[in-house]
Amino acid sequence: MDNKTILLVEDNPDDEALTLRALKKNNILNPVTVLRDGAEALDYLFCQGAYAERDANQRISVILLDLKLPKIEGLEVLKRLRANERTRLLPVVILTSSKEEQDLISGYQLGANSYILKPVDFEKFIEAVRQLGLYWLMINEPPPSPH
Amino acid sequence: MLLPAHLAEAHRAHVRRFAAEPDAARDMNRRGGVHGRRKDGTEFPAEASISKVQENGKFQFTVFLRDISDRRRADAALRVSEEKFRAVSDTANEAIVMANSQGQIVYLNKAAENAFGYATDEAIGAPLTILIPEKFHSAHQVGFQTYLATGKARVIGKTVELVGKRKDGTEFPLELSLTTWRSTAGLFFAGMIRDISDRRRAEEEIQQASQYARSLIEASLDPLVTISPDGKITDVNEGSIKVTGVPREKLIGTDFSDYFTEPEKARAGYREVFEKGFVTDYPLTIRHKDGGLTDVLYNASVYRDAADSVLGVFAAAHDVTVQKRAEEEIRQLNVHLERRVLERTTELQAANQELEAFSYSVSHDLRAPLRSIDGFSQAILEDYADKLDGQGREHLGRVRAATQHMGNLIDDLIKLAHVARAEMKREAVDLSVLAADVLASLRKREPERKVDWHIESGLIAQGDDHLLRVVLDNLLGNAWKFTGKTANATIEFGALHQETGRQAYFVRDNGVGFDMTYAGKLFGAFQRLHSVSEFPGTGIGLATVQRIIHRHGSRVWAESAVGEGATFYFSL
């Protein structure tokens, strides 16, 4: 496994810690970049604002995107990603505690690649992350970098 | 020579007798007809007078003879004429009475005898007034005298209706045609009299019948009219007069269609009656001459004469203004109601949106801290296992169990909220298949459990597939759960017919059952009849079931006894 970055867009520090722990528990050692809200995530992805200097060639393996985010919501982030030529093909996994159908449907309509429910039971969460890692980091070949 | 031969002997006897008499002259016709003989032998009637003169002891007779053939012929003709008249007048159906200028009856025929009851010899010479009721005597006298004085009369040369009196005093209506003539014998009157009792009776009957018909027509408050085949009004009742404001005589003869807001539609209406024979509930609006409008429904049919040809149309209008007004009120109320429903719907939609936002928040935000509690408890258990004793691990175990329970509560609450507002479909759902599916998944979850089940096959209900699955999930799940401590656990799913005709479905188990005293609490949210340590649960399942069944317009109920299992019914 190469060191492609995992992008975690999550505003809840507890969930962030638990997600990182779950990744670690599953021996997923890719670097993880955590972004705390939708606006920051877009700045990062489009190399703008505070991230204007970021190396656009840095490869991103998967974006773990929470739905309820400050400033710009998860689904809006997804929409803008899909609308942009550079980020159009990035794998996006919606990672949320919402079971609401509407979220599910909107998520897929906007082009989410997967949808993972964060269960209350941490052990189940670890299992979910394990499967996520298996698929997106090992099996699925990420799209080639535009550069 | 001048006498017919057969009279010769009589002549000689007569001459001898006359010579012996002292009279000097006599009218020979006194004793019978005198006849002469012409040279050619033909005879003729004659009038003769004779005188005698004695001279030298001899009598000389002078005879004046006049040929009276012409007079005889005239007399015979008169007799024939009189006989003819008598024959005609006696066979006439009409009574004929003749009177002279003194007002005396001089002649009456057979019909007159029959009509008045007098024989000819009783009536001849009697005053005309015997044929007239007393109350008309003075009028008769005045008329009679006036005519005699002035030659003017109301009744001469005309046919008038009067009243006659019979011999027995009874009176009868009669029709009189009176004529008068003057002859050498003076002024005469002849009356042709027809007893019109029968005709009067028939007329009265017709009048009564028509009065009956009219009273029927007038008894109707609804406007009634009769219309001729060319669309003209031939009769109306008071109702028609009222509704149009036009008097009867101005209505009759005018065009039926003139009195409607839509004359063409009215014409089409009565054309239809002539074509089909009738129309029913034909809507029209009558316009009062003052502009007021009356909405009516017409029922009309043709009426025919005895020969079955159409005489016209009888049309009855039923005033539906009140009905229309009521309908309009209902419509207004409906509009109002719809507006209110719309308002309420909008409010409800707002409330629903709020609820949706709320449950969205609940599902997102309430779970997050639970995940932290559980996750970090797990982290402690893993990372600090060596620093914890059994008690500490047990405490953390309880923390984790409690978070699980809270998580389930949140899930169930969201489900409950979801069934309350989910879109509902109505389709045929095979409950038998659903039940088998649910039980199979329960068995999968706890393969070590020994549970017998019986499912009646082919139970098809109308409802929402997804929601009915939630119902069976809960009811069969409960049955599964509450037979957990029963030796020969049996679960049954079936149907029974109710008196209402609705099918009732049931889930029966032989588990712990419950005390019916608390049956009322069964379907309330968070209500439980067993402790969590006995049987786990959130107390939301049956509340969810009830909500779904209610949304189907049906009901759910239960029967049980402690230790004897429970049966849950729902109708659909």
Side-chain angles (χ1 to χ4, degrees):
Chain A
M1 202 187 314
D2 60 15
N3 271 356
K4 285 177 289 187
T5 302
I6 295 172
L7 223 54
L8 175 61
V9 189
E10 172 65 82
D11 66 316
N12 183 328
D14 281 4
D15 277 352
E16 176 197 327
L18 291 170
T19 306
L20 293 177
R21 185 180 169 88
L23 289 170
K24 202 170 99 191
K25 284 264 168 194
N26 283 303
N27 294 317
I28 296 166
L29 302 171
N30 301 49
V32 178
T33 301
V34 180
L35 302 161
R36 314 262 173 218
D37 63 57
E40 193 184 1
L42 289 175
D43 281 352
Y44 181 90
L45 287 163
F46 297 146
C47 302
Q48 59 191 22
Y51 295 95
E53 304 301 318
R54 188 178 74 83
D55 177 7
N57 292 323
Q58 185 191 356
R59 299 241 292 181
I60 296 165
S61 55
V62 66
I63 301 168
L64 305 180
L65 182 63
D66 191 24
L67 277 184
K68 269 196 98 186
L69 290 172
K71 296 182 185 170
I72 296 172
E73 277 197 51
L75 290 177
E76 182 61 25
V77 171
L78 177 59
K79 199 167 123 189
R80 294 200 199 169
L81 273 184
R82 289 295 178 246
N84 188 294
E85 190 56 34
R86 283 183 54 166
T87 52
R88 188 166 64 83
L89 298 171
L90 277 178
V92 174
V93 173
I94 290 174
L95 190 61
T96 181
S97 51
S98 170
K99 270 185 181 172
E100 297 292 290
E101 271 184 342
Q102 197 51 42
D103 286 348
L104 197 70
I105 293 162
S106 305
Y108 280 113
Q109 272 177 350
L110 292 170
N113 300 74
S114 186
Y115 189 94
I116 295 285
L117 205 73
K118 293 186 281 188
V120 169
D121 188 335
F122 185 64
E123 278 164 9
K124 286 184 190 159
F125 186 42
I126 289 171
E127 176 59 21
V129 171
R130 188 183 69 81
Q131 286 182 8
L132 177 88
L134 265 180
Y135 186 72
W136 290 110
L137 302 176
M138 297 176 189
I139 301 163
N140 194 40
E141 183 62 25
S145 169
H147 298 284
Chain B
M1 188 184 77
L2 299 175
L3 291 172
H6 62 95
L7 296 176
E9 188 55 37
H11 172 71
R12 276 187 288 273
H14 181 70
V15 170
R16 273 191 302 273
R17 226 174 18 251
F18 185 53
E21 285 172 5
D23 296 347
R26 72 170 7 161
D27 174 6
M28 288 181 64
N29 290 75
R30 262 196 347 219
R31 293 233 175 154
V34 175
H35 294 267
R37 194 178 66 166
R38 296 194 188 88
K39 184 182 177 188
D40 62 7
T42 58
E43 295 175 15
F44 62 91
E47 202 176 63
S49 57
I50 188 166
S51 60
K52 60 181 179 185
V53 179
Q54 198 170 23
E55 204 180 77
N56 306 321
K58 285 188 175 175
F59 286 100
Q60 283 191 353
F61 298 94
T62 308
V63 179
F64 294 89
L65 274 173
R66 188 186 300 141
D67 182 344
I68 57 166
S69 297
D70 287 350
R71 198 196 313 153
R72 272 291 164 83
R73 266 197 297 278
D75 281 351
L78 182 63
R79 226 174 4 258
V80 167
S81 162
E82 267 182 9
E83 275 161 12
K84 263 192 202 159
F85 166 74
R86 208 167 283 280
V88 169
S89 84
D90 278 350
T91 52
N93 283 325
E94 290 185 320
I96 300 170
V97 176
M98 295 182 192
N100 60 19
S101 58
Q102 279 79 54
Q104 289 167 318
I105 295 168
V106 296
Y107 171 78
L108 72 167
N109 69 349
K110 285 251 169 61
E113 287 179 343
N114 294 337
F116 291 95
Y118 289 100
T120 294
D121 22 332
E122 291 175 301
I124 298 294
L128 267 176
T129 48
I130 64 165
L131 307 180
I132 299 170
E134 310 246 331
K135 54 182 177 273
F136 299 120
H137 282 183
S138 58
H140 166 73
Q141 292 298 351
V142 168
F144 197 79
Q145 294 309 323
T146 304
Y147 180 74
L148 292 179
T150 65
K152 283 180 189 157
R154 200 169 55 81
V155 295
I156 305 290
K158 282 188 254 176
T159 301
V160 290
E161 290 187 3
L162 294 171
V163 179
K165 190 177 85 172
R166 298 193 188 90
K167 188 182 173 188
D168 64 8
T170 56
E171 296 176 7
F172 63 98
L174 58 80
E175 195 178 76
L176 171 71
S177 310
L178 199 60
T179 183
T180 175
W181 75 95
R182 191 173 290 275
S183 80
T184 47
L187 185 66
F188 289 92
F189 300 90
M192 309 275 279
I193 295 157
R194 185 179 294 146
D195 181 345
I196 56 170
S197 301
D198 290 349
R199 195 168 82 194
R200 271 287 164 82
R201 214 162 16 246
E203 278 171 3
E204 268 166 27
E205 273 167 20
I206 288 168
Q207 198 185 351
Q208 273 172 10
S210 91
Q211 257 167 7
Y212 176 69
R214 173 136 302 279
S215 71
L216 282 184
I217 288 172
E218 292 298 351
S220 168
L221 296 177
D222 288 341
L224 306 182
V225 293
T226 55
I227 310 159
S228 63
D230 61 351
K232 298 276 191 280
I233 293 173
T234 50
D235 194 8
V236 295
N237 71 344
E238 197 58 35
S240 304
I241 295 163
K242 236 179 235 166
V243 78
T244 54
V246 179
R248 176 189 303 274
E249 58 277 11
K250 291 218 172 138
L251 281 170
I252 289 173
T254 57
D255 244 42
F256 172 70
S257 56
D258 289 350
Y259 303 97
F260 298 94
T261 55
E262 296 165 282
E264 189 40 57
K265 191 175 166 191
R267 279 192 286 275
Y270 67 70
R271 273 199 300 272
E272 195 180 324
V273 186
F274 282 110
E275 280 158 22
K276 276 173 47 186
F278 67 93
V279 294
T280 49
D281 291 343
Y282 193 88
L284 285 170
T285 304
I286 300 173
R287 196 202 302 278
H288 191 278
K289 74 169 178 6
D290 296 338
L293 301 179
T294 308
D295 293 315
V296 295
L297 290 178
Y298 262 101
N299 289 316
S301 58
V302 294
Y303 62 98
R304 298 163 192 277
D305 63 11
D308 212 31
S309 53
V310 173
L311 292 178
V313 166
F314 179 81
H318 182 57
D319 184 344
V320 291
T321 311
V322 173
Q323 194 181 322
K324 277 252 177 116
R325 201 177 297 142
E327 277 169 13
E328 177 59 20
E329 261 169 45
I330 289 170
R331 204 187 61 78
Q332 292 279 355
L333 283 173
N334 270 338
V335 167
H336 181 66
L337 194 65
E338 259 165 47
R339 198 162 47 230
R340 282 194 53 192
V341 167
L342 195 68
E343 283 166 11
R344 290 302 300 271
T345 307
T346 311
E347 283 169 20
L348 279 174
Q349 271 167 351
N352 252 344
Q353 267 164 11
E354 245 167 68
L355 188 68
E356 218 155 308
F358 173 74
S359 61
Y360 185 86
S361 295
V362 167
S363 68
H364 270 91
D365 300 349
L366 294 191
R367 280 158 170 277
L370 286 179
R371 262 199 316 279
S372 299
I373 295 164
D374 188 67
F376 290 111
S377 301
Q378 177 72 11
I380 291 167
L381 282 170
E382 284 170 12
D383 298 355
Y384 303 94
D386 53 333
K387 298 193 174 140
L388 288 171
D389 57 9
Q391 185 88 53
R393 281 192 294 275
E394 199 197 312
H395 288 334
L396 280 173
R398 284 173 188 271
V399 169
R400 292 199 62 206
T403 49
Q404 286 305 319
H405 186 60
M406 180 90 188
N408 290 339
L409 275 171
I410 290 169
D411 286 350
D412 286 355
L413 267 180
I414 286 165
K415 262 189 225 154
L416 180 62
H418 178 76
V419 302
R421 61 178 212 275
E423 290 270 336
M424 227 181 78
K425 291 172 292 185
R426 283 249 177 215
E427 59 202 344
V429 180
D430 191 332
L431 295 178
S432 305
V433 170
L434 264 189
D437 212 34
V438 170
L439 283 167
S441 65
L442 286 165
R443 167 156 290 175
K444 206 171 181 181
R445 213 182 300 164
E446 290 180 85
E448 70 285 357
R449 285 275 312 272
K450 267 204 172 334
V451 178
D452 279 342
W453 68 66
H454 305 286
I455 297 170
E456 190 178 328
S457 61
L459 297 180
I460 313 286
Q462 289 293 318
D464 183 282
D465 177 59
H466 177 70
L467 293 178
L468 291 178
R469 189 187 184 93
V470 175
V471 167
L472 288 177
D473 264 342
N474 278 291
L475 294 181
L476 291 168
N478 280 351
W480 186 272
K481 179 164 64 182
F482 292 109
T483 52
K485 293 165 183 171
T486 308
N488 302 306
T490 305
I491 296 172
E492 200 184 333
F493 176 64
L496 48 93
H497 280 286
Q498 293 178 277
E499 281 167 20
T500 57
R502 269 190 158 182
Q503 188 109 314
Y505 304 92
F506 63 86
V507 172
R508 181 173 293 141
D509 67 61
N510 60 347
V512 293
F514 60 87
D515 185 345
M516 282 298 278
T517 315
Y518 307 111
K521 290 179 129 187
L522 268 180
F523 298 100
F526 301 113
Q527 297 291 340
R528 301 207 72 228
L529 299 184
H530 301 274
S531 67
V532 178
S533 58
E534 238 185 322
F535 293 100
T538 57
I540 296 172
L542 287 179
T544 306
V545 166
Q546 177 170 268
R547 189 160 296 188
I548 291 170
I549 298 299
H550 281 181
R551 284 199 67 189
H552 281 79
S554 308
R555 65 188 199 99
V556 56
W557 67 102
E559 282 170 6
S560 182
V562 175
E564 288 176 24
T567 307
F568 282 81
Y569 300 91
F570 61 98
S571 56
L572 279 173

